Amino acid sequence: MESQNTAESAAAARHARFGKLPERIRYEDMVEVKSTTPRDATRDAYDPEGSWMSFSCLALDLGL
């Protein structure tokens, strides 16, 4: 008798906690909009004088 009462109270507690789905979250609340920074043309430009810095020492030794 007591184990049945315990099982029923446990079932009632589970139903109270998990008996319904949580409220829906709107898409607008999940998305964050940030403005981007303008592109720096000088950073993306090719610099033949500074391009040697991108090679490793081994590549320079091999003449690449």
Side-chain angles (χ1 to χ4, degrees):
M1 177 87 172
E2 192 172 308
S3 65
Q4 183 181 9
N5 190 15
T6 306
E8 288 176 6
S9 64
R14 276 193 309 275
H15 183 66
R17 184 172 180 187
F18 304 111
K20 64 177 185 171
L21 293 174
E23 295 182 23
R24 283 192 179 258
I25 300 173
R26 297 182 318 157
Y27 179 75
E28 292 81 19
D29 295 336
M30 294 187 287
V31 176
E32 181 179 359
V33 177
K34 290 184 178 180
S35 61
T36 60
T37 58
R39 292 186 60 117
D40 185 13
T42 57
R43 191 182 90 200
D44 296 332
Y46 174 70
D47 181 21
E49 295 296 322
S51 65
W52 66 270
M53 295 187 314
S54 64
F55 295 109
S56 67
C57 292
L58 178 62
L60 286 175
D61 290 342
L62 295 175
L64 299 176

